[in-house]
Amino acid sequence: MKEKVQAIFGKPAKNISPGGTFLTVHIIPVCERKLIAFDVLAPEAKGRWFPWTVLTFGTEPYEAAANLVDDWCNGSVKRLELCDVLTFKSYEEAWQISLVFRSELTKIPQGDAERKPLVFEKEIPQVIDKFKAADIQRWMNLKDSKTNQMIF
């Protein structure tokens, strides 16, 4: 039988360690019932993504989420709320704990040279980043959630 070990974090590090644990913040941008994802053109992260970052040690998750909306979505936030917490096995068997925020935007982001916004009105791709269409659809449809009352 495999030995059970507790999820106890070590000291902050500059890089993700094999078998370690790290926290990420992800934003699910929605504008007038349209899902916004980004086509990232940078060679080191090429693909379709939602705004995300590895949480810096000691940073409040809502602050990190607000900074992501400012950076990726031109700060056009109407509402920001925590909508889910998911875990994944990630890089080199590290355990990724993802705090997922839904951001209602006031306008479609402009993007930049390395990030082009993609707007999905009806059909949602089967997967964006690590997230499945069923989860994305559930997050898009959240209204007056009580999860935004969570305290970290």
Side-chain angles (χ1 to χ4, degrees), residues 33-67:
R33 298 183 171 260
K34 298 173 189 142
L35 177 69
I36 313 296
F38 290 85
D39 187 15
V40 176
L41 306 173
E44 64 276 8
K46 194 173 179 103
R48 187 174 290 167
W49 300 89
F50 290 118
W52 75 280
T53 190
V54 174
L55 192 62
T56 303
F57 183 78
T59 301
E60 209 281 331
Y62 276 96
E63 179 183 342
N67 289 338

PDB file of all heavy atoms in Angstrom, residues 33-67:
ATOM      1  N   ARG A  33     -21.926  37.313 -21.775  1.00  0.00           N
ATOM      2  CA  ARG A  33     -22.169  35.879 -21.994  1.00  0.00           C
ATOM      3  C   ARG A  33     -21.262  35.243 -23.037  1.00  0.00           C
ATOM      4  O   ARG A  33     -21.504  34.136 -23.503  1.00  0.00           O
ATOM      5  CB  ARG A  33     -23.631  35.605 -22.335  1.00  0.00           C
ATOM      6  CG  ARG A  33     -24.582  35.998 -21.238  1.00  0.00           C
ATOM      7  CD  ARG A  33     -26.011  35.632 -21.614  1.00  0.00           C
ATOM      8  NE  ARG A  33     -26.861  35.806 -20.489  1.00  0.00           N
ATOM      9  CZ  ARG A  33     -27.285  34.825 -19.693  1.00  0.00           C
ATOM     10  NH1 ARG A  33     -26.919  33.603 -19.928  1.00  0.00           N
ATOM     11  NH2 ARG A  33     -28.066  35.074 -18.676  1.00  0.00           N
ATOM     12  N   LYS A  34     -20.192  35.930 -23.409  1.00  0.00           N
ATOM     13  CA  LYS A  34     -19.215  35.387 -24.347  1.00  0.00           C
ATOM     14  C   LYS A  34     -17.952  35.044 -23.577  1.00  0.00           C
ATOM     15  O   LYS A  34     -17.462  35.834 -22.777  1.00  0.00           O
ATOM     16  CB  LYS A  34     -18.884  36.412 -25.437  1.00  0.00           C
ATOM     17  CG  LYS A  34     -20.067  36.787 -26.276  1.00  0.00           C
ATOM     18  CD  LYS A  34     -19.706  37.915 -27.220  1.00  0.00           C
ATOM     19  CE  LYS A  34     -20.968  38.408 -27.881  1.00  0.00           C
ATOM     20  NZ  LYS A  34     -20.987  39.842 -28.044  1.00  0.00           N
ATOM     21  N   LEU A  35     -17.424  33.862 -23.836  1.00  0.00           N
ATOM     22  CA  LEU A  35     -16.184  33.414 -23.207  1.00  0.00           C
ATOM     23  C   LEU A  35     -15.001  34.021 -23.949  1.00  0.00           C
ATOM     24  O   LEU A  35     -14.980  34.055 -25.178  1.00  0.00           O
ATOM     25  CB  LEU A  35     -16.091  31.893 -23.281  1.00  0.00           C
ATOM     26  CG  LEU A  35     -14.816  31.270 -22.725  1.00  0.00           C
ATOM     27  CD1 LEU A  35     -14.753  31.432 -21.215  1.00  0.00           C
ATOM     28  CD2 LEU A  35     -14.743  29.802 -23.117  1.00  0.00           C
ATOM     29  N   ILE A  36     -14.013  34.475 -23.188  1.00  0.00           N
ATOM     30  CA  ILE A  36     -12.792  35.029 -23.771  1.00  0.00           C
ATOM     31  C   ILE A  36     -11.618  34.148 -23.355  1.00  0.00           C
ATOM     32  O   ILE A  36     -11.393  33.924 -22.162  1.00  0.00           O
ATOM     33  CB  ILE A  36     -12.510  36.467 -23.277  1.00  0.00           C
ATOM     34  CG1 ILE A  36     -13.752  37.353 -23.339  1.00  0.00           C
ATOM     35  CG2 ILE A  36     -11.326  37.062 -24.023  1.00  0.00           C
ATOM     36  CD1 ILE A  36     -14.309  37.598 -24.700  1.00  0.00           C
ATOM     37  N   ALA A  37     -10.888  33.652 -24.332  1.00  0.00           N
ATOM     38  CA  ALA A  37      -9.623  32.958 -24.086  1.00  0.00           C
ATOM     39  C   ALA A  37      -8.574  33.701 -24.909  1.00  0.00           C
ATOM     40  O   ALA A  37      -8.905  34.673 -25.594  1.00  0.00           O
ATOM     41  CB  ALA A  37      -9.711  31.493 -24.486  1.00  0.00           C
ATOM     42  N   PHE A  38      -7.334  33.262 -24.839  1.00  0.00           N
ATOM     43  CA  PHE A  38      -6.273  33.958 -25.560  1.00  0.00           C
ATOM     44  C   PHE A  38      -5.422  32.975 -26.335  1.00  0.00           C
ATOM     45  O   PHE A  38      -5.052  31.910 -25.820  1.00  0.00           O
ATOM     46  CB  PHE A  38      -5.386  34.742 -24.594  1.00  0.00           C
ATOM     47  CG  PHE A  38      -6.081  35.926 -23.996  1.00  0.00           C
ATOM     48  CD1 PHE A  38      -6.880  35.779 -22.872  1.00  0.00           C
ATOM     49  CD2 PHE A  38      -5.957  37.186 -24.559  1.00  0.00           C
ATOM     50  CE1 PHE A  38      -7.537  36.860 -22.312  1.00  0.00           C
ATOM     51  CE2 PHE A  38      -6.610  38.279 -24.006  1.00  0.00           C
ATOM     52  CZ  PHE A  38      -7.404  38.109 -22.884  1.00  0.00           C
ATOM     53  N   ASP A  39      -5.123  33.334 -27.569  1.00  0.00           N
ATOM     54  CA  ASP A  39      -4.166  32.606 -28.380  1.00  0.00           C
ATOM     55  C   ASP A  39      -2.807  33.232 -28.078  1.00  0.00           C
ATOM     56  O   ASP A  39      -2.561  34.382 -28.446  1.00  0.00           O
ATOM     57  CB  ASP A  39      -4.525  32.742 -29.857  1.00  0.00           C
ATOM     58  CG  ASP A  39      -3.678  31.866 -30.751  1.00  0.00           C
ATOM     59  OD1 ASP A  39      -3.011  30.956 -30.231  1.00  0.00           O
ATOM     60  OD2 ASP A  39      -3.689  32.092 -31.974  1.00  0.00           O
ATOM     61  N   VAL A  40      -1.974  32.498 -27.349  1.00  0.00           N
ATOM     62  CA  VAL A  40      -0.665  33.015 -26.941  1.00  0.00           C
ATOM     63  C   VAL A  40       0.357  32.618 -28.002  1.00  0.00           C
ATOM     64  O   VAL A  40       0.476  31.441 -28.357  1.00  0.00           O
ATOM     65  CB  VAL A  40      -0.272  32.484 -25.550  1.00  0.00           C
ATOM     66  CG1 VAL A  40       1.123  32.940 -25.159  1.00  0.00           C
ATOM     67  CG2 VAL A  40      -1.298  32.928 -24.513  1.00  0.00           C
ATOM     68  N   LEU A  41       1.078  33.618 -28.493  1.00  0.00           N
ATOM     69  CA  LEU A  41       2.027  33.401 -29.583  1.00  0.00           C
ATOM     70  C   LEU A  41       3.469  33.260 -29.119  1.00  0.00           C
ATOM     71  O   LEU A  41       4.333  32.867 -29.894  1.00  0.00           O
ATOM     72  CB  LEU A  41       1.914  34.561 -30.580  1.00  0.00           C
ATOM     73  CG  LEU A  41       0.496  34.828 -31.107  1.00  0.00           C
ATOM     74  CD1 LEU A  41       0.468  36.080 -31.946  1.00  0.00           C
ATOM     75  CD2 LEU A  41      -0.027  33.629 -31.872  1.00  0.00           C
ATOM     76  N   ALA A  42       3.744  33.586 -27.864  1.00  0.00           N
ATOM     77  CA  ALA A  42       5.113  33.485 -27.338  1.00  0.00           C
ATOM     78  C   ALA A  42       5.590  32.032 -27.443  1.00  0.00           C
ATOM     79  O   ALA A  42       4.869  31.115 -27.044  1.00  0.00           O
ATOM     80  CB  ALA A  42       5.157  33.955 -25.893  1.00  0.00           C
ATOM     81  N   PRO A  43       6.785  31.797 -27.976  1.00  0.00           N
ATOM     82  CA  PRO A  43       7.269  30.422 -28.198  1.00  0.00           C
ATOM     83  C   PRO A  43       7.275  29.554 -26.940  1.00  0.00           C
ATOM     84  O   PRO A  43       6.975  28.372 -27.007  1.00  0.00           O
ATOM     85  CB  PRO A  43       8.699  30.619 -28.723  1.00  0.00           C
ATOM     86  CG  PRO A  43       8.764  32.015 -29.204  1.00  0.00           C
ATOM     87  CD  PRO A  43       7.754  32.801 -28.423  1.00  0.00           C
ATOM     88  N   GLU A  44       7.583  30.137 -25.783  1.00  0.00           N
ATOM     89  CA  GLU A  44       7.666  29.340 -24.550  1.00  0.00           C
ATOM     90  C   GLU A  44       6.298  28.965 -23.980  1.00  0.00           C
ATOM     91  O   GLU A  44       6.210  28.132 -23.076  1.00  0.00           O
ATOM     92  CB  GLU A  44       8.504  30.063 -23.483  1.00  0.00           C
ATOM     93  CG  GLU A  44       7.915  31.368 -22.989  1.00  0.00           C
ATOM     94  CD  GLU A  44       8.230  32.585 -23.859  1.00  0.00           C
ATOM     95  OE1 GLU A  44       8.796  32.437 -24.947  1.00  0.00           O
ATOM     96  OE2 GLU A  44       7.877  33.695 -23.423  1.00  0.00           O
ATOM     97  N   ALA A  45       5.222  29.565 -24.504  1.00  0.00           N
ATOM     98  CA  ALA A  45       3.877  29.276 -23.968  1.00  0.00           C
ATOM     99  C   ALA A  45       2.825  29.238 -25.072  1.00  0.00           C
ATOM    100  O   ALA A  45       1.663  29.520 -24.832  1.00  0.00           O
ATOM    101  CB  ALA A  45       3.513  30.333 -22.933  1.00  0.00           C
ATOM    102  N   LYS A  46       3.232  28.881 -26.265  1.00  0.00           N
ATOM    103  CA  LYS A  46       2.328  28.913 -27.416  1.00  0.00           C
ATOM    104  C   LYS A  46       1.110  28.014 -27.184  1.00  0.00           C
ATOM    105  O   LYS A  46       1.230  26.895 -26.705  1.00  0.00           O
ATOM    106  CB  LYS A  46       3.083  28.463 -28.663  1.00  0.00           C
ATOM    107  CG  LYS A  46       2.366  28.762 -29.939  1.00  0.00           C
ATOM    108  CD  LYS A  46       3.264  28.440 -31.121  1.00  0.00           C
ATOM    109  CE  LYS A  46       2.529  28.730 -32.386  1.00  0.00           C
ATOM    110  NZ  LYS A  46       2.938  29.949 -33.015  1.00  0.00           N
ATOM    111  N   GLY A  47      -0.074  28.544 -27.492  1.00  0.00           N
ATOM    112  CA  GLY A  47      -1.291  27.757 -27.355  1.00  0.00           C
ATOM    113  C   GLY A  47      -2.469  28.615 -26.923  1.00  0.00           C
ATOM    114  O   GLY A  47      -2.394  29.835 -26.887  1.00  0.00           O
ATOM    115  N   ARG A  48      -3.556  27.947 -26.588  1.00  0.00           N
ATOM    116  CA  ARG A  48      -4.783  28.616 -26.153  1.00  0.00           C
ATOM    117  C   ARG A  48      -4.849  28.564 -24.637  1.00  0.00           C
ATOM    118  O   ARG A  48      -4.818  27.502 -24.038  1.00  0.00           O
ATOM    119  CB  ARG A  48      -5.984  27.897 -26.767  1.00  0.00           C
ATOM    120  CG  ARG A  48      -7.283  28.596 -26.530  1.00  0.00           C
ATOM    121  CD  ARG A  48      -8.401  27.927 -27.288  1.00  0.00           C
ATOM    122  NE  ARG A  48      -8.246  28.166 -28.712  1.00  0.00           N
ATOM    123  CZ  ARG A  48      -8.918  27.526 -29.658  1.00  0.00           C
ATOM    124  NH1 ARG A  48      -9.780  26.602 -29.335  1.00  0.00           N
ATOM    125  NH2 ARG A  48      -8.726  27.812 -30.922  1.00  0.00           N
ATOM    126  N   TRP A  49      -4.960  29.751 -24.012  1.00  0.00           N
ATOM    127  CA  TRP A  49      -4.888  29.865 -22.563  1.00  0.00           C
ATOM    128  C   TRP A  49      -5.931  30.834 -22.026  1.00  0.00           C
ATOM    129  O   TRP A  49      -6.353  31.741 -22.718  1.00  0.00           O
ATOM    130  CB  TRP A  49      -3.521  30.414 -22.136  1.00  0.00           C
ATOM    131  CG  TRP A  49      -2.352  29.598 -22.535  1.00  0.00           C
ATOM    132  CD1 TRP A  49      -1.652  29.706 -23.710  1.00  0.00           C
ATOM    133  CD2 TRP A  49      -1.721  28.567 -21.797  1.00  0.00           C
ATOM    134  NE1 TRP A  49      -0.632  28.798 -23.724  1.00  0.00           N
ATOM    135  CE2 TRP A  49      -0.651  28.094 -22.558  1.00  0.00           C
ATOM    136  CE3 TRP A  49      -1.969  28.002 -20.540  1.00  0.00           C
ATOM    137  CZ2 TRP A  49       0.182  27.058 -22.123  1.00  0.00           C
ATOM    138  CZ3 TRP A  49      -1.142  26.991 -20.108  1.00  0.00           C
ATOM    139  CH2 TRP A  49      -0.082  26.524 -20.889  1.00  0.00           C
ATOM    140  N   PHE A  50      -6.238  30.657 -20.757  1.00  0.00           N
ATOM    141  CA  PHE A  50      -6.891  31.685 -19.968  1.00  0.00           C
ATOM    142  C   PHE A  50      -5.777  32.426 -19.233  1.00  0.00           C
ATOM    143  O   PHE A  50      -4.699  31.868 -19.021  1.00  0.00           O
ATOM    144  CB  PHE A  50      -7.851  31.084 -18.946  1.00  0.00           C
ATOM    145  CG  PHE A  50      -9.078  30.460 -19.552  1.00  0.00           C
ATOM    146  CD1 PHE A  50      -9.337  29.107 -19.404  1.00  0.00           C
ATOM    147  CD2 PHE A  50      -9.984  31.236 -20.258  1.00  0.00           C
ATOM    148  CE1 PHE A  50     -10.470  28.534 -19.946  1.00  0.00           C
ATOM    149  CE2 PHE A  50     -11.121  30.681 -20.813  1.00  0.00           C
ATOM    150  CZ  PHE A  50     -11.361  29.328 -20.659  1.00  0.00           C
ATOM    151  N   PRO A  51      -6.018  33.662 -18.803  1.00  0.00           N
ATOM    152  CA  PRO A  51      -5.005  34.354 -18.002  1.00  0.00           C
ATOM    153  C   PRO A  51      -4.665  33.532 -16.750  1.00  0.00           C
ATOM    154  O   PRO A  51      -5.564  33.010 -16.086  1.00  0.00           O
ATOM    155  CB  PRO A  51      -5.692  35.670 -17.621  1.00  0.00           C
ATOM    156  CG  PRO A  51      -6.706  35.882 -18.702  1.00  0.00           C
ATOM    157  CD  PRO A  51      -7.192  34.505 -19.066  1.00  0.00           C
ATOM    158  N   TRP A  52      -3.382  33.417 -16.467  1.00  0.00           N
ATOM    159  CA  TRP A  52      -2.971  32.642 -15.293  1.00  0.00           C
ATOM    160  C   TRP A  52      -1.596  33.080 -14.824  1.00  0.00           C
ATOM    161  O   TRP A  52      -0.842  33.707 -15.558  1.00  0.00           O
ATOM    162  CB  TRP A  52      -2.976  31.150 -15.599  1.00  0.00           C
ATOM    163  CG  TRP A  52      -1.817  30.713 -16.437  1.00  0.00           C
ATOM    164  CD1 TRP A  52      -1.687  30.833 -17.792  1.00  0.00           C
ATOM    165  CD2 TRP A  52      -0.615  30.111 -15.983  1.00  0.00           C
ATOM    166  NE1 TRP A  52      -0.488  30.345 -18.210  1.00  0.00           N
ATOM    167  CE2 TRP A  52       0.209  29.887 -17.113  1.00  0.00           C
ATOM    168  CE3 TRP A  52      -0.140  29.740 -14.722  1.00  0.00           C
ATOM    169  CZ2 TRP A  52       1.458  29.321 -17.012  1.00  0.00           C
ATOM    170  CZ3 TRP A  52       1.119  29.161 -14.634  1.00  0.00           C
ATOM    171  CH2 TRP A  52       1.894  28.949 -15.779  1.00  0.00           C
ATOM    172  N   THR A  53      -1.292  32.707 -13.596  1.00  0.00           N
ATOM    173  CA  THR A  53       0.034  32.945 -13.034  1.00  0.00           C
ATOM    174  C   THR A  53       0.254  31.986 -11.869  1.00  0.00           C
ATOM    175  O   THR A  53      -0.702  31.488 -11.267  1.00  0.00           O
ATOM    176  CB  THR A  53       0.197  34.410 -12.555  1.00  0.00           C
ATOM    177  OG1 THR A  53       1.565  34.642 -12.245  1.00  0.00           O
ATOM    178  CG2 THR A  53      -0.660  34.709 -11.342  1.00  0.00           C
ATOM    179  N   VAL A  54       1.520  31.750 -11.565  1.00  0.00           N
ATOM    180  CA  VAL A  54       1.859  31.045 -10.327  1.00  0.00           C
ATOM    181  C   VAL A  54       1.775  32.083  -9.218  1.00  0.00           C
ATOM    182  O   VAL A  54       2.300  33.195  -9.353  1.00  0.00           O
ATOM    183  CB  VAL A  54       3.277  30.425 -10.403  1.00  0.00           C
ATOM    184  CG1 VAL A  54       3.681  29.828  -9.057  1.00  0.00           C
ATOM    185  CG2 VAL A  54       3.333  29.364 -11.502  1.00  0.00           C
ATOM    186  N   LEU A  55       1.082  31.757  -8.151  1.00  0.00           N
ATOM    187  CA  LEU A  55       0.900  32.692  -7.042  1.00  0.00           C
ATOM    188  C   LEU A  55       2.232  32.932  -6.338  1.00  0.00           C
ATOM    189  O   LEU A  55       2.928  31.992  -5.962  1.00  0.00           O
ATOM    190  CB  LEU A  55      -0.129  32.133  -6.061  1.00  0.00           C
ATOM    191  CG  LEU A  55      -0.657  33.075  -4.997  1.00  0.00           C
ATOM    192  CD1 LEU A  55      -1.384  34.261  -5.621  1.00  0.00           C
ATOM    193  CD2 LEU A  55      -1.598  32.337  -4.057  1.00  0.00           C
ATOM    194  N   THR A  56       2.590  34.184  -6.177  1.00  0.00           N
ATOM    195  CA  THR A  56       3.810  34.566  -5.472  1.00  0.00           C
ATOM    196  C   THR A  56       3.586  34.397  -3.972  1.00  0.00           C
ATOM    197  O   THR A  56       2.519  34.743  -3.457  1.00  0.00           O
ATOM    198  CB  THR A  56       4.158  36.038  -5.790  1.00  0.00           C
ATOM    199  OG1 THR A  56       4.276  36.180  -7.198  1.00  0.00           O
ATOM    200  CG2 THR A  56       5.460  36.445  -5.144  1.00  0.00           C
ATOM    201  N   PHE A  57       4.592  33.896  -3.282  1.00  0.00           N
ATOM    202  CA  PHE A  57       4.488  33.653  -1.847  1.00  0.00           C
ATOM    203  C   PHE A  57       4.014  34.909  -1.116  1.00  0.00           C
ATOM    204  O   PHE A  57       4.573  35.988  -1.299  1.00  0.00           O
ATOM    205  CB  PHE A  57       5.845  33.200  -1.284  1.00  0.00           C
ATOM    206  CG  PHE A  57       5.805  32.871   0.178  1.00  0.00           C
ATOM    207  CD1 PHE A  57       5.291  31.665   0.613  1.00  0.00           C
ATOM    208  CD2 PHE A  57       6.259  33.768   1.125  1.00  0.00           C
ATOM    209  CE1 PHE A  57       5.242  31.349   1.956  1.00  0.00           C
ATOM    210  CE2 PHE A  57       6.215  33.475   2.472  1.00  0.00           C
ATOM    211  CZ  PHE A  57       5.697  32.262   2.888  1.00  0.00           C
ATOM    212  N   GLY A  58       2.976  34.760  -0.310  1.00  0.00           N
ATOM    213  CA  GLY A  58       2.459  35.857   0.499  1.00  0.00           C
ATOM    214  C   GLY A  58       1.458  36.759  -0.209  1.00  0.00           C
ATOM    215  O   GLY A  58       0.884  37.643   0.424  1.00  0.00           O
ATOM    216  N   THR A  59       1.227  36.549  -1.510  1.00  0.00           N
ATOM    217  CA  THR A  59       0.284  37.394  -2.245  1.00  0.00           C
ATOM    218  C   THR A  59      -1.143  36.927  -2.000  1.00  0.00           C
ATOM    219  O   THR A  59      -1.431  35.732  -2.031  1.00  0.00           O
ATOM    220  CB  THR A  59       0.579  37.360  -3.763  1.00  0.00           C
ATOM    221  OG1 THR A  59       1.899  37.803  -3.978  1.00  0.00           O
ATOM    222  CG2 THR A  59      -0.384  38.246  -4.535  1.00  0.00           C
ATOM    223  N   GLU A  60      -2.040  37.858  -1.763  1.00  0.00           N
ATOM    224  CA  GLU A  60      -3.456  37.567  -1.584  1.00  0.00           C
ATOM    225  C   GLU A  60      -4.022  37.117  -2.938  1.00  0.00           C
ATOM    226  O   GLU A  60      -3.792  37.784  -3.949  1.00  0.00           O
ATOM    227  CB  GLU A  60      -4.134  38.850  -1.085  1.00  0.00           C
ATOM    228  CG  GLU A  60      -5.340  38.630  -0.230  1.00  0.00           C
ATOM    229  CD  GLU A  60      -6.590  38.280  -1.036  1.00  0.00           C
ATOM    230  OE1 GLU A  60      -6.742  38.695  -2.184  1.00  0.00           O
ATOM    231  OE2 GLU A  60      -7.417  37.563  -0.466  1.00  0.00           O
ATOM    232  N   PRO A  61      -4.729  35.983  -3.003  1.00  0.00           N
ATOM    233  CA  PRO A  61      -5.219  35.482  -4.291  1.00  0.00           C
ATOM    234  C   PRO A  61      -6.093  36.463  -5.070  1.00  0.00           C
ATOM    235  O   PRO A  61      -5.977  36.555  -6.295  1.00  0.00           O
ATOM    236  CB  PRO A  61      -6.006  34.225  -3.909  1.00  0.00           C
ATOM    237  CG  PRO A  61      -5.367  33.767  -2.642  1.00  0.00           C
ATOM    238  CD  PRO A  61      -4.985  35.025  -1.912  1.00  0.00           C
ATOM    239  N   TYR A  62      -6.970  37.210  -4.387  1.00  0.00           N
ATOM    240  CA  TYR A  62      -7.804  38.182  -5.103  1.00  0.00           C
ATOM    241  C   TYR A  62      -6.952  39.291  -5.721  1.00  0.00           C
ATOM    242  O   TYR A  62      -7.249  39.780  -6.803  1.00  0.00           O
ATOM    243  CB  TYR A  62      -8.869  38.788  -4.184  1.00  0.00           C
ATOM    244  CG  TYR A  62     -10.098  37.931  -4.060  1.00  0.00           C
ATOM    245  CD1 TYR A  62     -10.248  37.042  -2.999  1.00  0.00           C
ATOM    246  CD2 TYR A  62     -11.122  38.008  -5.009  1.00  0.00           C
ATOM    247  CE1 TYR A  62     -11.376  36.249  -2.888  1.00  0.00           C
ATOM    248  CE2 TYR A  62     -12.248  37.215  -4.897  1.00  0.00           C
ATOM    249  CZ  TYR A  62     -12.368  36.340  -3.842  1.00  0.00           C
ATOM    250  OH  TYR A  62     -13.475  35.551  -3.736  1.00  0.00           O
ATOM    251  N   GLU A  63      -5.881  39.682  -5.034  1.00  0.00           N
ATOM    252  CA  GLU A  63      -4.977  40.703  -5.572  1.00  0.00           C
ATOM    253  C   GLU A  63      -4.292  40.179  -6.835  1.00  0.00           C
ATOM    254  O   GLU A  63      -4.188  40.886  -7.846  1.00  0.00           O
ATOM    255  CB  GLU A  63      -3.936  41.077  -4.522  1.00  0.00           C
ATOM    256  CG  GLU A  63      -2.926  42.105  -4.986  1.00  0.00           C
ATOM    257  CD  GLU A  63      -1.856  42.399  -3.942  1.00  0.00           C
ATOM    258  OE1 GLU A  63      -2.055  42.082  -2.755  1.00  0.00           O
ATOM    259  OE2 GLU A  63      -0.818  42.942  -4.343  1.00  0.00           O
ATOM    260  N   ALA A  64      -3.819  38.936  -6.790  1.00  0.00           N
ATOM    261  CA  ALA A  64      -3.191  38.332  -7.969  1.00  0.00           C
ATOM    262  C   ALA A  64      -4.188  38.229  -9.117  1.00  0.00           C
ATOM    263  O   ALA A  64      -3.849  38.511 -10.274  1.00  0.00           O
ATOM    264  CB  ALA A  64      -2.635  36.953  -7.617  1.00  0.00           C
ATOM    265  N   ALA A  65      -5.435  37.855  -8.810  1.00  0.00           N
ATOM    266  CA  ALA A  65      -6.466  37.751  -9.846  1.00  0.00           C
ATOM    267  C   ALA A  65      -6.760  39.120 -10.469  1.00  0.00           C
ATOM    268  O   ALA A  65      -6.861  39.251 -11.688  1.00  0.00           O
ATOM    269  CB  ALA A  65      -7.737  37.141  -9.258  1.00  0.00           C
ATOM    270  N   ALA A  66      -6.866  40.141  -9.639  1.00  0.00           N
ATOM    271  CA  ALA A  66      -7.122  41.496 -10.145  1.00  0.00           C
ATOM    272  C   ALA A  66      -5.971  41.966 -11.032  1.00  0.00           C
ATOM    273  O   ALA A  66      -6.199  42.588 -12.080  1.00  0.00           O
ATOM    274  CB  ALA A  66      -7.333  42.463  -8.987  1.00  0.00           C
ATOM    275  N   ASN A  67      -4.731  41.644 -10.648  1.00  0.00           N
ATOM    276  CA  ASN A  67      -3.578  42.011 -11.469  1.00  0.00           C
ATOM    277  C   ASN A  67      -3.601  41.305 -12.817  1.00  0.00           C
ATOM    278  O   ASN A  67      -3.234  41.887 -13.841  1.00  0.00           O
ATOM    279  CB  ASN A  67      -2.270  41.709 -10.734  1.00  0.00           C
ATOM    280  CG  ASN A  67      -2.034  42.658  -9.577  1.00  0.00           C
ATOM    281  OD1 ASN A  67      -2.565  43.762  -9.520  1.00  0.00           O
ATOM    282  ND2 ASN A  67      -1.231  42.219  -8.622  1.00  0.00           N
TER     283      ASN A  67
END
